Amino acid sequence: MDEKGIQLGIGKRTLVLVDRDQKTVQHLENGDRELVTIIECVSADGDALRPSIIFKGKRRNLAWARSNPCNASISTSPNGWTDMELGRAWLERDFEPETAARNTSGGYRLLILDGHNSHCTYEFVKFCEKHKIILMCLPSHTTHRLQPCDVGVFGPLASSWKSEVNHASAANIAITKFNLLDYYDAARSRAMTASTIQSVFRKTGIYPFNPHVI
């Protein structure tokens, strides 16, 4: 698992052909730089858990999930970042029940993550011990090589998301908290395919013997 930040109104740079005498080229973009944090968790079998979305705000507006095609769980924080409380909430509310339902053998589950302080609290570790979850905490400065999400998932996801922002901007549609889940689901569906997810586990060299271990 890992976190990924996206901005509501910042798309990708585009290449265009213009007349050589044209001094100004206009690009339509909403430009909203508000950060939304996405927690994603992928498995070596090519599957992914539902995403967890952290919006900036003091309290959740139920209308934000009125359209929720990816069945994302939704939280808020003052700055839109994850923290110790939200990290533990994701573990208890999302990871444990979803992976337990797939764990037909009743054995241990493996959770690979980085050393962010939201993952390394006493409560987080104690919960994992109680529920037969093995934590594999990656060493500092190695996630660009060892973290499956960083190695090959978040790059395509970021590109796909920025394309969604560009298309929405071209249609004069602003992406807000009320419609973000629709656009994120479209970007996620294109970027996080089973083959892409499986390939990054092989690249990192941590592909487990049992491809159904999560």
Side-chain angles (χ1 to χ4, degrees), residues 159-169 175 183-184 186-187 190:
S159 178
S160 186
W161 167 253
K162 289 179 180 180
S163 292
E164 288 296 321
V165 174
N166 286 353
H167 293 152
S169 297
I175 297 179
Y183 287 97
Y184 182 72
R190 289 199 309 274

Side-chain angles (χ1 to χ4, degrees), residues 24-39:
T24 303
V25 179
Q26 303 294 337
H27 175 64
L28 183 66
E29 185 174 83
N30 177 269
D32 189 347
R33 295 182 179 274
E34 181 172 339
L35 180 74
V36 176
T37 298
I38 314 290
I39 299 178

Side-chain angles (χ1 to χ4, degrees), residues 105-175:
S105 69
Y108 283 86
R109 288 160 284 166
L110 174 65
L111 175 57
I112 303 169
L113 37 69
D114 61 31
H116 191 271
N117 60 9
S118 63
H119 313 148
C120 298
T121 64
Y122 174 80
E123 291 83 3
F124 194 102
V125 175
K126 195 68 176 177
F127 183 89
C128 289
E129 181 183 21
K130 180 179 178 181
H131 292 84
K132 299 177 70 174
I133 300 170
I134 298 173
L135 290 178
M136 179 179 176
C137 190
L138 299 172
S140 299
H141 312 298
T142 65
T143 55
H144 65 293
R145 294 285 188 181
L146 300 179
Q147 167 59 264
C149 289
D150 283 345
V151 169
V153 174
F154 283 163
L157 181 60
S159 178
S160 186
W161 167 253
K162 289 179 180 180
S163 292
E164 288 296 321
V165 174
N166 286 353
H167 293 152
S169 297
N172 202 26
I173 299 173
I175 297 179

Side-chain angles (χ1 to χ4, degrees), residues 28-81:
L28 183 66
E29 185 174 83
N30 177 269
D32 189 347
R33 295 182 179 274
E34 181 172 339
L35 180 74
V36 176
T37 298
I38 314 290
I39 299 178
E40 288 284 5
C41 185
V42 298
S43 169
D45 66 358
D47 202 359
L49 303 188
R50 67 173 182 162
S52 179
I53 314 294
I54 303 173
F55 287 118
K56 181 180 179 180
K58 293 184 178 180
R59 60 180 61 88
R60 174 183 169 180
N61 187 332
L62 295 178
W64 294 344
R66 188 164 293 159
S67 178
N68 188 359
C70 51
N71 191 31
S73 62
I74 298 176
S75 305
T76 61
S77 72
N79 51 19
W81 303 345

